[in-house]
Amino acid sequence: MTVAIIGVGLIGGSMALALRDLGIADRVVGVDANEDHQRRALELGLIDEAAGLDAAIQQSSLIILAIPVDAAALLLPGIMDSVDKQVVMDVSSTKKQIIQAVRDHPKRGRFVASHPMWGTEYSGPEAAVKGAFTGKAAVIINKEESDADALAMVENIYRKIGMSLLYMEAGAHDLHAAYVSHISHITSFALANTVLKKEKEEDAIFALASAGFESTVRLAKSNPAMWAPIFIQNQQNVLEVLNEHIAQLNAFKRCLENKDYAGMVELMENANKIRKILK
Amino acid sequence: MTVAIIGVGLIGGSMALALRDLGIADRVVGVDANEDHQRRALELGLIDEAAGLDAAIQQSSLIILAIPVDAAALLLPGIMDSVDKQVVMDVSSTKKQIIQAVRDHPKRGRFVASHPMWGTEYSGPEAAVKGAFTGKAAVIINKEESDADALAMVENIYRKIGMSLLYMEAGAHDLHAAYVSHISHITSFALANTVLKKEKEEDAIFALASAGFESTVRLAKSNPAMWAPIFIQNQQNVLEVLNEHIAQLNAFKRCLENKDYAGMVELMENANKIRKILK
């Protein structure tokens, strides 16, 4: 089938590669508001053809929306106006707002809301990688609002690209995403700013930065145009997690101010329980 | 030569493997207050012989001190009392206190203070790995306080195991270490506690945890017995960095509370400058 990918960046580009590698798409049409990205996606062979939004929708059986979450929520109702029997899926990191945007749309059933849990700190067509999604989880959101055939197509695609499926309601997804993804990005951005502000001797210092530093701070390279809308759409959940995180840092700080060895060990031993979850 | 390794855990064990693989040590004697660790180090072939501290020192040309920083500062003066022409080196993550502990020792020249910038979140003899230090940086601290031959031996060893050398004064080292290592561990411990406190639905949720979460939180598996003494010895520097980090998180929080898109983008674009440093 022909697949339209709207937004040929990190996720859209990686999705294009996966769909073609597995023979799910025999033709990929790419749409991107950024002309450089559209051209690069063609050059890199991520897409077979670059097109405008309407032309891409008309010739495709599946439309994948892979643009920042604010633009996705704005664009989706118009896309739903244009589709007939086609299936539309998104891959956005926040779900309440986009689900709300088409809740009462007469074609709501043709839309399947999903979130494949994969990403890197890079962005744009050059960031697309083969085999990106294999072994990761994909969440299908509010599945009862989608037509059975549309849901089956999207489930099938995620299974074929090697993802395990989870089902959630939009509000639950957004809360969990705040904990397992959004807060990690905020702490990484803040950690980078901490170090950049205080450490002026960059050359001397960053020779010292070992793997531990790199892993906690690498997400700080992430694209603000992708993340600002996520944080704003998920404001309440992210604030709740951020407040708890600042409280946890203050607990650590109080122990350190008092040289409270036992208190600090207790905080760290509790944190060690993450071993149960992250092997 | 025969090398004594005091503390056959993550760093001491990895050092033992490196020294023997490269033919620097033809025999490694291991000392560990934890009898299980001593036995496991023998079983794993990290060491050729387990011995008590005095016996190990007497038969070795080089003594490597690889125990938690509080124990290292306590033990070092007694070790220096026992050595004659041998060389003693440490691998501790904080330097002011251990340097202070032997500042006026008559054998001070036989001691070379160093910090190989490598580690993982695991600990104990099982955590030792081959080739651990290759391509990383080692810092030699207050080199002018060491005898020329002792310094040359330690420099030579670090070069042979593939490390690049940096030279620093103890206070500068401890400040930089707070920025590029200690704060990363505190944010990771606090992030693990944040998630563990709020997220009760572990099964549902941790299927969602993608690579970003794992990389920011993995240091939370680290050993409290190693890290509590580091934070306490480096209290002032770590508090300074931690205060700045909490201020950076609060700046982010204010933007989020106000849905200040431009402010949030500005914070993230600044954080993106870490790309210059972390490739």
Side-chain angles (χ1 to χ4, degrees):
Chain A
M1 67 179 167
T2 297
V3 176
I5 305 235
I6 307 178
V8 288
L10 168 68
I11 305 296
S14 300
M15 195 63 85
L17 289 171
L19 296 188
R20 213 162 23 185
D21 278 358
L22 292 162
I24 298 168
D26 46 45
R27 201 155 147 276
V28 178
V29 182
V31 182
D32 206 300
N34 180 326
E35 282 181 20
D36 279 347
H37 283 190
Q38 209 169 32
R39 185 180 47 76
R40 284 298 287 148
L42 265 176
E43 288 168 3
L44 292 165
L46 303 177
I47 59 175
D48 298 294
E49 181 191 328
L53 182 59
D54 289 335
I57 292 173
Q58 292 322 312
Q59 63 188 296
S60 301
S61 308
L62 172 67
I63 294 110
I64 301 180
L65 191 57
I67 57 180
V69 297
D70 51 347
L74 282 174
L75 212 58
L76 183 61
I79 293 172
M80 299 315 296
D81 291 343
S82 309
V83 298
D84 178 26
K85 293 285 176 207
Q86 298 114 299
V87 174
V88 180
M89 64 185 275
D90 81 323
V91 294
S92 311
S93 301
T94 48
K95 290 268 98 81
K96 267 182 94 164
Q97 203 150 323
I98 197 162
I99 292 260
Q100 185 64 29
V102 291
R103 203 184 54 175
D104 302 318
H105 196 284
K107 303 262 183 60
R108 171 64 182 89
R110 307 313 299 158
F111 172 60
V112 181
S114 76
H115 182 197
M117 301 298 295
W118 175 83
T120 74
E121 65 271 36
Y122 304 107
S123 59
E126 280 87 358
V129 293
K130 287 197 179 202
F133 306 98
T134 311
K136 309 291 179 188
V139 192
I140 308 271
I141 316 292
N142 291 23
K143 70 170 179 171
E144 66 288 351
E145 297 172 12
S146 299
D147 292 348
D149 69 305
L151 179 63
M153 180 195 273
V154 172
E155 290 174 327
N156 212 15
I157 286 172
Y158 278 127
R159 286 201 192 99
K160 277 192 181 158
I161 64 177
M163 304 194 85
S164 54
L165 288 173
L166 290 167
Y167 299 87
M168 285 187 191
E169 179 276 322
H173 168 275
D174 288 1
L175 176 65
H176 298 322
Y179 278 96
V180 301
S181 168
H182 306 171
I183 187 70
S184 292
H185 285 79
I186 290 181
T187 59
S188 230
F189 284 122
L191 187 58
N193 283 342
T194 301
V195 173
L196 290 165
K197 179 156 186 178
K198 291 295 216 172
E199 273 289 12
K200 302 303 179 192
E201 300 171 52
E202 295 183 1
D203 290 348
I205 300 336
F206 289 94
L208 296 183
S210 51
F213 178 73
E214 185 154 356
S215 81
T216 37
V217 89
R218 75 173 175 81
L219 297 178
K221 301 177 196 170
S222 301
N223 183 5
M226 169 177 172
W227 284 97
I230 290 173
F231 298 142
I232 285 176
Q233 282 200 3
N234 207 14
Q235 183 202 34
Q236 289 309 314
N237 290 322
V238 174
L239 275 177
E240 188 186 320
V241 188
L242 186 51
N243 280 327
E244 176 61 31
H245 183 55
I246 292 170
Q248 291 289 346
L249 286 169
N250 278 317
F252 222 99
K253 181 181 155 184
R254 279 191 301 278
C255 288
L256 193 51
E257 281 169 341
N258 301 322
K259 295 199 175 189
D260 175 3
Y261 188 100
M264 216 180 304
V265 166
E266 192 182 333
L267 287 173
M268 288 189 271
E269 283 178 345
N270 190 66
N272 283 169
K273 291 177 189 158
I274 206 79
R275 287 178 192 148
K276 286 189 304 183
I277 294 154
L278 294 181
K279 303 301 172 198
Chain B
M1 65 179 168
T2 298
V3 175
I5 305 237
I6 306 177
V8 288
L10 169 68
I11 306 295
S14 299
M15 195 64 83
L17 289 171
L19 296 189
R20 212 160 26 184
D21 277 357
L22 293 162
I24 299 168
D26 46 44
R27 201 154 148 277
V28 177
V29 183
V31 182
D32 206 300
N34 181 324
E35 282 181 20
D36 279 346
H37 282 189
Q38 210 168 32
R39 185 179 47 75
R40 284 298 288 148
L42 265 176
E43 287 168 4
L44 292 165
L46 303 177
I47 58 175
D48 298 294
E49 182 191 328
L53 182 60
D54 288 337
I57 292 173
Q58 291 323 312
Q59 61 189 296
S60 301
S61 308
L62 171 68
I63 296 108
I64 301 180
L65 191 58
I67 57 179
V69 297
D70 52 347
L74 282 174
L75 212 60
L76 184 60
I79 293 172
M80 300 315 296
D81 291 343
S82 309
V83 299
D84 178 26
K85 290 287 175 206
Q86 296 114 299
V87 173
V88 180
M89 65 185 274
D90 81 324
V91 294
S92 312
S93 300
T94 48
K95 290 268 98 82
K96 266 182 95 165
Q97 204 151 321
I98 198 162
I99 292 260
Q100 184 64 28
V102 291
R103 202 183 56 176
D104 301 317
H105 196 283
K107 302 263 182 58
R108 171 64 182 87
R110 307 313 299 160
F111 173 59
V112 181
S114 76
H115 182 196
M117 301 297 297
W118 176 84
T120 74
E121 64 272 37
Y122 304 107
S123 58
E126 281 86 358
V129 292
K130 287 199 178 200
F133 306 98
T134 311
K136 309 291 179 189
V139 192
I140 309 272
I141 316 292
N142 291 23
K143 69 169 181 172
E144 64 290 350
E145 295 172 14
S146 299
D147 292 347
D149 68 307
L151 179 64
M153 180 196 273
V154 173
E155 289 174 327
N156 211 16
I157 286 172
Y158 278 127
R159 287 200 192 100
K160 277 192 181 159
I161 64 177
M163 304 194 85
S164 54
L165 288 173
L166 290 166
Y167 299 88
M168 285 187 191
E169 179 275 322
H173 168 274
D174 288 1
L175 176 65
H176 298 322
Y179 279 96
V180 300
S181 167
H182 306 171
I183 188 69
S184 292
H185 285 78
I186 290 181
T187 59
S188 228
F189 284 122
L191 186 58
N193 283 341
T194 301
V195 174
L196 289 166
K197 179 155 185 180
K198 292 294 214 171
E199 271 290 13
K200 303 302 179 192
E201 299 171 53
E202 293 184 3
D203 291 348
I205 300 335
F206 289 95
L208 296 182
S210 51
F213 179 73
E214 184 154 356
S215 81
T216 36
V217 90
R218 74 171 176 81
L219 297 178
K221 302 177 195 169
S222 301
N223 184 5
M226 171 178 171
W227 284 97
I230 290 173
F231 298 143
I232 285 176
Q233 281 200 4
N234 207 14
Q235 184 202 34
Q236 289 309 313
N237 290 321
V238 174
L239 276 177
E240 188 186 320
V241 187
L242 186 51
N243 281 327
E244 175 62 30
H245 183 55
I246 292 170
Q248 291 289 345
L249 285 168
N250 278 318
F252 223 98
K253 181 182 153 183
R254 278 191 302 278
C255 288
L256 193 50
E257 281 170 340
N258 301 322
K259 295 200 175 188
D260 174 3
Y261 188 100
M264 215 179 304
V265 167
E266 191 181 334
L267 287 174
M268 289 189 270
E269 284 178 345
N270 191 64
N272 282 169
K273 292 177 189 157
I274 206 79
R275 288 179 191 148
K276 287 188 305 185
I277 294 154
L278 295 181
K279 302 303 174 199

